[in-house]
Amino acid sequence: MKVLITGGAGFIGSALARALVARGDQVTVLDNLSPQIHGENPQDSALLASLPAEVTVVRGDVRRREDWLQVLPGQDVVVHLAAETGTGQSMYEIDRYVDVNVRGTSLFLDLIGNKVQGCESVKRVVVASSRSIYGEGRYQGANGPVYPGARVDADLRDGVFECRDPQTGDLVAPLPTDEDSRIHPSSIYGITKQVQEQLVLVGASAIGIQGIALRYQNVYGPGQSLKNPYTGILSIFSTLLLQGKDVNIFEDGKETRDFVFIDDVVAATVAAIDADVSGQAFNVGTGEATDVIAVASALKNAYGKGGEIRISGNYRIGDIRHNFADLSRAEAALGYRPRVTFAEGVKRFAAWVLTQQIEDSGYQRSVDEMRAKGLLK
């Protein structure tokens, strides 16, 4: 097949491109080579260099019609990964996140739908959605599953970080979040990913092509940017530890996420390209919850050095407490089963990090920005 990957020089995109080329697909990449991901000299980006020679790379912007028209004609499949990412940053760079994530998606669907200059060749779109669209995940309430809203500032100030039953006010325990769970994002980033997903699922159906959304959980692994201070806590923690700095963990460190290894994400995405399903969204994760203290401790053990792990008690506006995936639908429809445990994945990730040049990621600057804007307390 001829496959276009937007954001294809990024972490997930470059790994996917390698897998598709290895099986004989013709791959084109559209990427803006953002300095936030690739550094100030994108031409020296290791991610860009990791793309096979067979890949056609076009530097461009998903908000530019002419860039889409350079890469869309003749493609069979579009895997749309291009997006601004970062929950915290999205809360104060609102227009940029909406412009890139929403308008960039609507533009190429419009070109395909109106059959502009050969764009009618596209038969399938796979869009990267996100666990962030759920906001808080699903919890066990007194009378069945509940979906808590944003935690209140009074609780957070008092160190009460767990969610409450919206009906009784009691603290509740998390359950696996399935695709039929309530969609109520708590960040601008989450809102834009929800809109991206709906644009593809509704828009693709309307213009007569297949659309599928993959709700990625927290993806990590070799190739993840060590320069982006706004996303990827394994990268952030690794950079701090290897510079001998302390790792200051927000809240009480018991907040959990579903950390999924890059190889499993690529396998799920390839399955979505090939599967005879359309109009559906699928969780892509491990189905297991891992708390942030466990992440920091595993990395410190892997490196055998670094600063102290400190629980700060600080909290960010827009952060959620718990979310981990129910994978039943993805297993049934895509045959997806994660194969890399967190323990194994951390070892592979840490081994890769130790081969990289460690530079200051600007994480403290990002923290200072959030605090100055009242988003970190």
Side-chain angles (χ1 to χ4, degrees), residues 130-140 145-148 173-184 215 217 256 258 282-285 287-289 320 322-329:
S130 167
R131 60 95 185 154
S132 65
I133 72 172
Y134 294 117
E136 287 291 350
R138 188 169 64 138
Y139 289 74
Q140 181 60 55
V146 295
Y147 303 96
L175 296 169
T177 301
D178 62 22
E179 292 87 350
D180 294 324
S181 295
R182 181 182 173 191
I183 303 299
H184 60 142
R215 295 174 181 170
Q217 298 288 313
T256 63
D258 186 336
F282 299 94
N283 288 332
V284 177
E288 297 182 359
I320 64 165
H322 301 293
N323 195 322
F324 62 103
D326 182 318
L327 302 176
S328 303
R329 182 185 293 182

Side-chain angles (χ1 to χ4, degrees), residues 321-367:
R321 182 62 175 174
H322 301 293
N323 195 322
F324 62 103
D326 182 318
L327 302 176
S328 303
R329 182 185 293 182
E331 182 175 352
L334 304 179
Y336 167 70
R337 292 183 182 177
R339 299 186 180 278
V340 182
T341 65
F342 182 71
E344 174 62 24
V346 166
K347 289 179 183 178
R348 295 191 202 177
F349 174 72
W352 169 79
V353 170
L354 289 172
T355 68
Q356 304 299 300
Q357 181 177 349
I358 302 300
E359 303 171 0
D360 184 70
S361 69
Y363 176 66
Q364 187 58 50
R365 182 184 71 250
S366 73
V367 170

